[in-house]
Amino acid sequence: MKKLLLATAVMTLLVPVAEAAPEIYGKAFLTSDYVNGEADYDDRGNIESPNDSDIDELQINSNFSRIGLRGSEAITTDTDVIYRLEYGIDIDGDDSGTLQSRDTYLGLKNDNYGELRVGRNSSIFSYLYDPILNRAYWDNLGKRTLNDNGGVSALNMLDYTRSSNSALWIAPEYKDLQLVLQYAADESFDNEDGEEGYGAALKLDQGTGYTAAIAYSKDIEASGSIETLDFITDDNAEGRINYGGDAFRGAVTVDVDKYINIATPLTLGAVYQQADYDFAGSDKEKGLILSGKIGLNNLNRPAFIYVQYNNTENLNGIGNNDSDQIVVGGEYNFKDNIIGHAYIGQNSADYTSPTDPTNSVADIKVFAAGAGIEYLF
C-alpha cells in the first residue's frame, strides 16, 4: 500500500500542470439604418470641385463586431503572463478582406506592480469613455475627413486610436486612482515623419456616484496624415501632409440619483478635449460632449434612454471646420448579453480645405435613424 501511495505521488509530480485554456469572446452587432445626407460643394475658381453628393438609402451595418482570444498563465505565485488576440470583422460582408487587427498583445500582470501590455494597444483616450453613450451608426468619434470619393459623412472630433509597437502599463489602483502610461516606438507610425509617442491617463472612481479623469498624449492620438486638398481633384497638388501633435481630454460623470431623491437612475456626463496639430497653419481642434441617460424602471428588463450632444471646432486642425451633432437613443437588455438598440440623430458640418480655410468647400448635413441587435459572447 505504501509503495502504491509513493508511486502515485511520484507520478503526480511528473505530470505537467495543465495550461489555462484561452477564452474565446466577441461581439456581433448588426443594425439597419436609414441615412439621408447631402454635401453641397462650393465652386473654388480654377480648382474643379466634385459634384454635390446626396444619399437617401437604407443600410445594413456591422458596428465594430469582433472576435478574440484572451487568457493568462501563472508563472509565479503573484505574476501571470497575459495575452489577447482580437480582430474586427464585418458580418454584413462589406469588407471581404482579412480580419482587422484590434488589441493584440502579450504581457505580464503582477499583484504589486500592475499590468504591462506590449504589442498593439488601444491608446490613452480609450480609458476616458464613460460619458460617451452613442452606439452603432452614431459611434463616430474620430471621423474627421470625408471619404476618398468625397461621399457624405457625419464628421466628429478626434478619438482614440490603436498603436502598433507600443507598451501600456496599468498601475495598481491606489486610493481609488487608476494610472495608465503608454509608449509608442518610432515604427508605430505609418508616415515618414513619425516620432515616438507617449501618453498618460489618470482616473478617479470612488464608487460614490461620480468619476473624473484626465489624459494627455504626444504624437499618439494626434498623429497621421491628411490630403492638402483632401477630396478635391488637382493633379498638380502636393498631396499629403504628415503630422503629429499634443492632445488633452478631460471627462466626468455624475449619478444624479445618488445625490438627489429621484425615482429613477440618472447619469450626466461631459467630455472636453483639445488637439494641437503640428502642421503649418493648423488651429487647435476643440471638442465638447454633453450626455445624459435615464433608466426605465417600468420594464421587465434593464433599459435606458440617452441623449448626447457633440460640438467640434477646427476639425483636424483646419480653421472653420466645425461640426454639431445631436443623437437620442435607447438600449434594452433582452438578456445580459443580448442588447437591443434604437437611435435617431443629425450632424451638420462645414468642411474646408487646409490650403484655403477661409473658403468653405462643403456644407454637410446627415440625418440617420436605426435599430439593431448586439450579441456578446
Side-chain angles (χ1 to χ4, degrees):
M1 184 65 178
K2 291 182 179 179
K3 290 183 179 180
L4 178 59
L5 292 174
L6 179 61
T8 302
V10 171
M11 292 299 296
T12 301
L13 292 175
L14 292 177
V15 174
V17 177
E19 296 181 359
E23 176 191 2
I24 300 175
Y25 71 97
K27 176 171 77 172
F29 191 0
L30 200 65
T31 56
S32 176
D33 300 299
Y34 167 70
V35 182
N36 180 279
E38 60 181 24
D40 296 325
Y41 299 94
D42 289 346
D43 183 2
R44 291 170 44 81
N46 60 354
I47 297 178
E48 181 183 355
S49 296
N51 294 327
D52 292 349
S53 296
D54 194 352
I55 62 172
D56 186 15
E57 60 189 18
L58 187 65
Q59 302 175 355
I60 302 297
N61 291 313
S62 175
N63 303 284
F64 305 106
S65 299
R66 67 199 68 163
I67 189 168
L69 296 172
R70 60 189 173 196
S72 63
E73 184 77 28
I75 55 176
T76 70
T77 55
D78 58 1
T79 302
D80 292 350
V81 170
I82 58 173
Y83 59 90
R84 173 178 290 190
L85 303 172
E86 183 177 296
Y87 300 93
I89 55 176
D90 281 308
I91 59 176
D92 60 341
D94 285 345
D95 187 351
S96 59
T98 58
L99 298 176
Q100 301 170 347
S101 178
R102 291 173 57 88
D103 284 26
T104 55
Y105 57 78
L106 183 66
L108 296 172
K109 184 175 182 179
N110 181 274
D111 295 341
N112 300 312
Y113 299 106
E115 186 172 328
L116 177 66
R117 303 173 180 177
V118 180
R120 179 173 171 83
N121 291 288
S122 291
S123 55
I124 288 297
F125 279 19
S126 68
Y127 291 85
L128 280 71
Y129 238 70
D130 291 342
I132 300 169
L133 305 175
N134 285 354
R135 296 293 182 263
Y137 185 90
W138 291 110
D139 187 6
N140 65 326
L141 283 189
K143 184 67 178 178
R144 294 169 294 143
T145 60
L146 292 183
N147 301 330
D148 293 338
N149 61 3
V152 182
S153 181
L155 304 180
N156 217 316
M157 66 186 70
L158 178 77
D159 196 19
Y160 79 90
T161 182
R162 286 185 173 83
S163 299
S164 303
N165 310 297
S166 66
L168 190 81
W169 178 56
I170 304 174
E173 188 174 298
Y174 176 74
K175 293 186 177 180
D176 304 313
L177 286 170
Q178 182 72 69
L179 174 66
V180 183
L181 302 178
Q182 185 175 19
Y183 170 79
D186 294 6
E187 59 180 333
S188 304
F189 307 100
D190 295 331
N191 65 75
E192 60 185 14
D193 295 335
E195 299 179 358
E196 60 185 7
Y198 51 86
L202 185 65
K203 182 176 181 179
L204 173 66
D205 185 357
Q206 296 179 313
T208 57
Y210 73 91
T211 67
I214 56 173
Y216 166 81
S217 70
K218 171 70 173 176
D219 293 337
I220 295 183
E221 268 82 11
S223 179
S225 60
I226 186 174
E227 294 289 348
T228 55
L229 293 179
D230 209 3
F231 55 85
I232 297 176
T233 301
D234 183 359
D235 293 337
N236 296 320
E238 285 292 328
R240 187 168 289 273
I241 298 172
N242 297 320
Y243 62 81
D246 302 295
F248 165 84
R249 174 181 285 185
V252 62
T253 65
V254 179
D255 296 331
V256 178
D257 55 291
K258 292 189 176 181
Y259 300 96
I260 300 176
N261 186 21
I262 56 178
T264 187
L266 172 63
T267 300
L268 302 179
V271 174
Y272 177 76
Q273 70 178 47
Q274 286 191 1
D276 191 3
Y277 303 92
D278 61 12
F279 62 84
S282 64
D283 293 309
K284 283 187 179 180
E285 179 186 288
K286 299 177 181 180
L288 173 68
I289 297 174
L290 299 175
S291 68
K293 68 176 181 179
I294 185 167
L296 303 178
N297 292 334
N298 57 342
L299 299 178
N300 293 330
R301 295 284 302 171
F304 64 85
I305 57 175
Y306 63 85
V307 60
Q308 180 172 312
Y309 170 72
N310 294 29
N311 174 266
T312 312
E313 298 178 4
N314 307 324
L315 280 160
N316 218 100
I318 302 167
N320 298 325
N321 268 21
D322 300 328
S323 169
D324 277 288
Q325 179 172 293
I326 183 75
V327 176
V328 177
E331 298 183 14
Y332 180 83
N333 288 257
F334 295 99
K335 290 186 173 182
D336 291 343
N337 66 325
I338 302 176
I339 306 167
H341 295 262
Y343 43 82
I344 185 171
Q346 179 171 303
N347 178 288
S348 300
D350 296 319
Y351 193 83
T352 63
S353 167
T355 59
D356 188 2
T358 63
N359 188 5
S360 177
V361 173
D363 179 23
I364 302 167
K365 297 185 184 301
V366 176
F367 168 87
I373 292 290
E374 179 181 10
Y375 174 65
L376 307 173
F377 61 90

